[in-house]
Amino acid sequence: MTFNIALVQHDIIWEDTKSNLSKLSDLIDNTQPHVDLVVLPEMFATGFSMNSTKIAQGMDGEVLSWLKQKAKEKGMAIMGSQAIKEKGKFYNRALFVFPNQQVLHYNKRHLFSPGNEHLNYSPGRERQIFNYKGIRILPQICYDLRFPVWSRNRNDYDLAIYMANWPAARQHVWNTLLKARAIENQCYVCGLNRVGSGGNINYIGESQVIDFKGVSLLNLDKQVDVIRYCTFDFNKLKLFKEKFAAHKDGDNFNLIVD
């Protein structure tokens, strides 16, 4: 079984939703046919802003409406994260939109306390798996990458997607941990990072795809405002796990969410 994704790496215009959606529309409108899923970075429409009261929208807001429109027009799923206000709380929420307009979501669990994210957003409580076209997808957001227990594969997903605004100063950590998550969880990993600068922080992209052996299949380096493609072969993953079934020797554990 093959699965085609499109990675969109762009320079996010700080706290300017309309301009970002306009730029992304130009990129996505030219997406190649036969793409199953388009992946966008964390807070793709605003940048990683702590001004939650300014940038957050409801689930009936402009950003989700735009995602639905693009998914329907292109006949492909699309995902990225957005600041969402719900029941008086703010979440850094991954949104996964199907071509038929169905919406799944995941609220970022690990909030980046060094940047005061925990003071402006509420943490997620549930680990989620999105099932699309028979592919089990684990959505994760940026800082989640540092916490392997949260993404531990219980043989319940095939592909982990990390949407991020990961700073250039910690790019080595980004590259290292993405490979570690792929190897230890025997899965494909997609890391989608922004590029450019925002909020006085520099980002150098390096959005990438890594296979279950830790081999790089695609790296966007420092390219700005680009869309690139990768095809996953899940038959190869299945055969590898049958021959090297390390997941069967994993430790049982209970995850307690405070």
Side-chain angles (χ1 to χ4, degrees):
M1 178 186 297
T2 58
F3 189 80
N4 303 306
I5 67 167
L7 286 71
V8 181
Q9 179 170 286
H10 70 296
D11 185 355
I12 303 173
I13 304 166
W14 188 250
E15 296 183 348
D16 189 341
T17 297
K18 290 189 182 298
S19 294
N20 285 309
L21 295 186
S22 177
K23 178 197 293 189
L24 289 168
S25 289
D26 291 339
L27 286 168
I28 293 172
D29 286 347
N30 292 306
T31 305
Q32 293 179 1
H34 311 304
V35 168
D36 296 298
L37 174 64
V38 176
V39 186
L40 303 169
E42 176 185 25
M43 291 192 177
F44 64 88
T46 61
F48 186 60
S49 170
M50 295 303 98
N51 194 354
S52 54
T53 57
K54 176 182 178 181
I55 67 169
Q57 300 182 5
M59 290 294 281
D60 58 351
E62 178 184 13
V63 170
L64 184 51
S65 295
W66 177 85
L67 288 170
K68 287 181 175 180
Q69 176 187 346
K70 291 303 171 188
K72 183 178 181 180
E73 287 176 355
K74 301 299 293 184
M76 57 187 65
I78 185 169
M79 70 182 297
S81 103
Q82 163 65 22
I84 295 290
K85 183 177 182 180
E86 187 173 76
K87 297 180 180 179
K89 293 184 178 181
F90 297 95
Y91 298 96
N92 185 345
R93 177 171 291 179
L95 300 166
F96 189 104
V97 182
F98 291 67
N100 67 3
Q101 309 296 279
Q102 178 185 359
V103 179
L104 302 177
H105 73 263
Y106 158 72
N107 293 326
K108 184 177 182 181
R109 170 61 184 162
H110 299 96
L111 303 180
F112 188 59
S113 57
N116 292 326
E117 187 179 13
H118 66 303
L119 300 179
N120 296 283
Y121 296 89
S122 295
R125 299 292 181 184
E126 296 182 14
R127 179 177 173 274
Q128 299 289 341
I129 304 292
F130 301 157
N131 196 311
Y132 181 60
K133 292 190 173 183
I135 305 304
R136 302 169 301 170
I137 300 171
L138 175 78
Q140 300 276 274
I141 302 176
C142 205
Y143 198 41
D144 284 333
L145 180 59
R146 287 183 177 267
F147 302 92
V149 174
W150 189 244
S151 64
R152 185 64 177 168
N153 196 346
R154 302 179 181 183
N155 203 28
D156 58 353
Y157 70 87
D158 312 297
L159 166 63
I161 297 180
Y162 291 87
M163 296 152 285
N165 276 206
W166 198 281
R170 292 183 286 277
Q171 204 70 17
H172 175 70
V173 177
W174 167 256
N175 291 329
T176 302
L177 292 183
L178 286 173
K179 286 188 176 182
R181 298 295 88 83
I183 294 169
E184 70 193 9
N185 291 306
Q186 294 186 295
C187 67
Y188 285 105
V189 164
C190 171
L192 203 293
N193 193 28
R194 70 157 294 177
V195 71
S197 62
N200 298 315
I201 297 175
N202 293 320
Y203 305 88
I204 58 170
E206 291 202 29
S207 299
Q208 56 195 277
V209 176
I210 300 166
D211 78 2
F212 39 86
K213 294 181 180 180
V215 176
S216 177
L217 302 179
L218 177 70
N219 192 312
L220 275 61
D221 299 314
K222 301 176 184 179
Q223 297 177 73
V224 178
D225 298 341
V226 295
I227 185 165
R228 297 290 182 263
Y229 306 91
C230 189
T231 298
F232 298 104
D233 187 337
F234 287 99
N235 291 323
K236 288 184 178 180
L237 173 60
K238 180 181 178 182
L239 289 172
F240 174 74
K241 293 178 72 172
E242 288 174 353
K243 292 180 179 179
F244 191 77
H247 60 282
K248 293 183 179 180
D249 297 322
D251 302 305
N252 291 322
F253 64 94
N254 293 316
L255 182 63
I256 300 173
V257 180
D258 295 330

